[in-house]
């Protein structure tokens, strides 16, 4: 439950009076409330937790970390 | 170290592992606070990359695991009522209370709904004006702002049939309690990157100084965790103890200020019981008086039901880093994810479940 996952903002709109983004998590799109990330814009990577954006993250580093995790997964699948 | 030799493409991890090996001269016990990190450590078998001088122990940072039994019982009591919809994060459904769990309550006719976000629970309340909608709001500092936001939203949208059953815990007082204990064996901590994304890391500075213990803010991917361990070991070897941020891509010193504002608008700090561990002073949140109409504990007549813990379960010792899951006599025997006897076997962030799934 405490997991927060990185995703990329596809678009930003207002839902129910709240600043909301469509965010892609490796292809799966979810609505994320980005009320607390006033500077977030389309194309940014954010860290989202229980439907809420908590921080904007550095894209390169995020991709690097995800890549390493994928390599580990491939490694374990091959064991 | 066979994985490193076999899989040379994981260069970054290998580099950190080598560096840890080259700096370590003594034995060190390092605790990762967060259950998400415990999960990654077991899943990616990170202990295999570390020299034998380094022992990782697992902290109390699993909200599902530490939510006290009497709150779980109260959730069950509320969910059984006819005019109620209980909305909950999915991983609370199988947590055993004194008598039952939410899945069973649901099977027996209780209207229990899994939500992904606290705001979904507010929307359920708006769509079901004839029902009382109670959101089971548990979590650490990472989740507390979003939980608080549900109350603020219900107020803003004038939704009067919404309330939360709140059980929130805070990391720094738990670190303090662990370090203060005469049984403490922990030399350094990996602080939880997502908690610090919200809170920043200023609160940890006095702890590192007082107990002369390094605290390194750490992320969740394999490289993040090894980087955190490396920084911690470097400090320990040099006899230093300060707070270091190794999760810079997400964590700023001051945290997320608007999120903290909403959280402290709704909640105030209080003493709190942690399941398996006991009461820790000033280690939780309660709902402020001005939002009392959203407080399910005040709205429902909830007598504290019996709260007997199973004697065999050693979750408390595990979450304080004193024992490992395989030291529990029930581990992999009576206790499994299909039939959990204690909360750390329920959530994927619980140490017992992580050991069960990944320790072969
Ligand atoms: S294995 Fe089960 S009974 Fe033992 S400590 Fe873990 S949760 Fe408790």
């Amino acid at each position: 439950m405490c997991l927060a996952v990185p995703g990329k903002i596809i678009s930003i709109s207002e839902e129910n009076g709240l600043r909301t983004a469509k965010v892609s998590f490796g292809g799966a799109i979810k609505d994320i409330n980005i009320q607390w990330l006033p500077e977030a814009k389309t194309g940014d990577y954010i860290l989202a937790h229980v439907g809420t954006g908590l921080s904007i993250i550095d894209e390169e580093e995020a991709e690097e970390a995800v890549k390493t995790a994928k390599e580990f997964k491939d490694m374990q699948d091959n064991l | 170290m066979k994985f490193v030799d076999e899989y040379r493409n994981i260069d970054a991890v290998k580099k950190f592992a080598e560096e840890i090996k080259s700096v370590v001269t003594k034995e060190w016990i390092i605790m990762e606070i967060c259950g998400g990190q415990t999960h990654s450590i077991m899943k990616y078998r990170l202990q295999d990359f570390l020299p034998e001088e380094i022992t990782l122990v697992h902290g109390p940072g699993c909200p599902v695991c530490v939510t006290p039994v009497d709150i779980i019982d109260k959730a069950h009591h509320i969910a059984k009522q006819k005019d109620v919809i209980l909305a909950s994060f999915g991983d609370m459904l199988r947590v055993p209370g004194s008598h039952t769990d939410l899945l069973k309550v649901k099977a027996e006719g209780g209207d229990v709904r899994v939500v992904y976000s606290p705001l979904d629970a507010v929307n359920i309340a708006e769509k079901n004006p004839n029902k009382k909608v109670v959101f089971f709001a548990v979590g650490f500092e990472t989740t507390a702002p979003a939980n608080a936001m549900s109350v603020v939203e219900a107020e803003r949208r004038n939704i009067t049939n919404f309330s939360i059953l709140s059980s929130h815990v805070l990391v720094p007082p738990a670190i303090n309690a662990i370090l203060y204990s005469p049984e403490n064996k922990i030399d350094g901590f990996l602080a939880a990157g997502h908690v610090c994304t919200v809170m920043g890391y200023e609160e940890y500075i006095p702890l590192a100084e007082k107990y002369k213990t390094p605290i390194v803010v750490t992320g969740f991917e394999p490289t993040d965790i090894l980087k955190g361990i490396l920084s911690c070991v470097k400090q320990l070897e040099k006899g230093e103890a300060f707070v270091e941020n190794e999760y810079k891509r997400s964590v700023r010193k001051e945290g997320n200020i608007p999120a903290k504002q909403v959280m402290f608008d709704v909640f105030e700090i209080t003493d709190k019981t942690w399941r398996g561990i006991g009461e820790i002073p000033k280690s939780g949140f309660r709902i402020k008086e001005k939002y009392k109409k959203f407080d399910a504990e005040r709205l429902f007549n909830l007598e504290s039901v019996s709260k007997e813990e199973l004697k065999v379960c050693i979750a408390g010792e595990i979450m304080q880093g004193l024992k490992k899951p395989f030291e529990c006599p029930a581990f992999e025997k009576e206790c499994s994810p299909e039939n959990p006897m204690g909360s750390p076997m329920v959530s994927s962030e619980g140490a017992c479940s992580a050991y069960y799934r990944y320790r072969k």
Side-chain angles (χ1 to χ4, degrees):
Chain A
M1 190 191 97
C2 245
L3 284 185
V5 275
K8 189 178 185 174
I9 299 183
I10 306 296
S11 63
I12 297 177
S13 61
E14 286 250 321
E15 301 264 335
N16 266 327
L18 290 177
R19 201 166 121 86
T20 304
K22 293 228 175 292
V23 177
S24 166
F25 299 96
I29 312 284
K30 269 196 186 306
D31 281 340
I32 301 295
N33 162 34
I34 52 164
Q35 194 82 348
W36 300 327
L37 303 174
E39 69 282 31
K41 51 186 193 313
T42 301
D44 281 350
Y45 276 79
I46 62 165
L47 194 71
H49 172 66
V50 297
T52 310
L54 295 181
S55 65
I56 300 176
I57 51 180
D58 180 83
E59 173 181 346
E60 239 170 72
E61 262 201 78
E63 281 179 352
E64 192 53 41
V66 169
K67 208 175 106 213
T68 314
K70 273 212 192 90
E71 284 174 0
F72 264 81
K73 195 164 178 314
D74 294 346
M75 161 186 113
Q76 272 150 356
D77 291 348
N78 289 331
L79 280 179
Chain B
M1 298 296 284
K2 75 174 198 232
F3 298 130
V4 179
D5 293 332
E6 277 175 26
Y7 298 95
R8 295 184 180 276
N9 55 338
I10 310 165
D11 292 338
V13 171
K14 188 177 163 185
K15 193 187 104 215
F16 287 126
E18 287 300 323
E19 214 178 326
I20 293 169
K21 218 167 144 186
S22 73
V23 295
V24 75
T25 64
K26 297 192 196 87
E27 293 194 353
W28 302 111
I29 299 179
I30 297 174
M31 173 183 270
E32 84 280 357
I33 283 290
C34 173
Q37 291 167 337
T38 306
H39 185 94
S40 286
I41 288 165
M42 295 309 294
K43 178 170 176 188
Y44 299 117
R45 302 184 192 173
L46 297 183
Q47 184 79 57
D48 292 350
F49 289 86
L50 297 174
E52 56 190 25
E53 288 90 340
I54 310 284
T55 305
L56 297 177
V57 295
H58 319 303
C62 160
V64 177
C65 306
V66 300
T67 301
V69 184
D70 69 314
I71 299 278
I72 306 275
D73 286 345
K74 284 173 183 172
H76 299 163
H77 179 84
I78 291 172
K80 282 179 189 163
Q81 302 195 12
K82 284 255 163 320
D83 56 342
V84 165
I85 299 172
L86 185 98
S88 168
F89 294 126
D91 40 11
M92 295 307 289
L93 263 58
R94 303 194 57 222
V95 181
S98 304
H99 309 290
T100 184
D101 62 47
L102 281 173
L103 263 190
K104 287 188 196 125
V105 173
K106 187 175 159 75
E108 286 157 10
D111 194 345
V112 178
R113 302 194 192 175
V114 170
V115 288
Y116 164 70
S117 149
L119 291 178
D120 295 342
V122 180
N123 293 335
I124 293 175
E126 197 164 40
K127 286 192 196 117
N128 295 276
N130 301 324
K131 297 266 189 172
K132 293 179 201 157
V133 175
V134 180
F135 172 56
F136 194 8
V138 301
F140 277 86
E141 295 96 320
T142 323
T143 321
N147 291 350
M149 165 88 95
S150 73
V151 169
V152 172
E153 267 302 292
E155 168 112 313
R156 186 178 70 88
R157 282 151 63 179
N158 203 12
I159 299 171
T160 52
N161 60 326
F162 178 79
S163 62
I164 66 171
L165 180 63
S166 155
S167 183
H168 291 90
V169 277
L170 304 171
V171 171
I175 293 188
N176 186 61
I178 290 169
L179 288 172
Y180 181 76
S181 159
E183 289 172 86
N184 172 52
K185 306 182 291 194
I186 317 292
D187 300 303
F189 283 93
L190 307 183
H194 295 155
V195 165
C196 296
T197 298
V198 170
M199 299 302 286
Y201 50 85
E202 281 165 326
E203 310 171 86
Y204 298 88
I205 296 169
L207 287 171
E209 282 171 4
K210 179 172 170 198
Y211 295 103
K212 305 206 171 15
T213 301
I215 302 177
V216 182
V217 180
T218 301
F220 297 81
E221 305 299 344
T223 41
D224 291 328
I225 292 172
L226 288 192
K227 213 175 175 187
I229 294 170
L230 174 62
S231 295
C232 197
V233 171
K234 277 186 180 166
Q235 285 195 42
L236 288 166
E237 289 286 341
K238 285 194 212 144
E240 292 173 337
F242 54 93
V243 176
E244 217 167 344
N245 180 10
E246 289 294 7
Y247 195 38
K248 292 197 187 75
R249 70 174 178 278
S250 178
V251 175
R252 326 271 175 263
K253 190 174 189 190
E254 68 286 355
N256 183 320
I257 292 168
K260 284 201 280 189
Q261 276 165 350
V262 170
M263 186 171 79
F264 284 109
D265 176 39
V266 173
F267 298 125
E268 61 194 2
I269 289 174
T270 183
D271 298 345
K272 175 81 187 162
T273 300
W274 297 50
R275 186 173 195 167
I277 296 176
E279 187 171 288
I280 303 178
K282 297 192 171 60
S283 69
F285 280 141
R286 68 168 166 233
I287 300 170
K288 280 185 182 166
E289 188 69 22
K290 70 170 174 173
Y291 287 113
K292 67 177 180 203
K293 63 180 181 205
F294 297 102
D295 186 349
E297 284 205 77
R298 300 189 211 207
L299 298 179
F300 291 82
N301 192 11
L302 299 169
E303 281 159 42
S304 204
V305 216
S306 76
K307 35 179 171 168
E308 284 233 337
E309 291 277 8
L310 290 166
K311 280 233 168 56
V312 61
C313 182
I314 58 162
E317 284 158 279
I318 292 171
M319 290 188 289
Q320 293 168 86
L322 303 171
K323 285 197 172 149
K324 297 260 184 169
F326 50 77
E327 291 174 65
C328 171
F331 179 72
E332 283 182 335
K333 296 190 181 82
E334 301 95 307
C335 186
S336 68
E338 290 70 43
N339 181 29
M341 293 175 70
S343 45
M345 194 52 105
V346 176
S347 158
S348 66
E349 290 153 40
C352 297
S353 137
Y355 270 66
Y356 187 95
R357 288 167 69 168
Y358 299 117
R359 188 172 167 265
K360 291 279 170 344

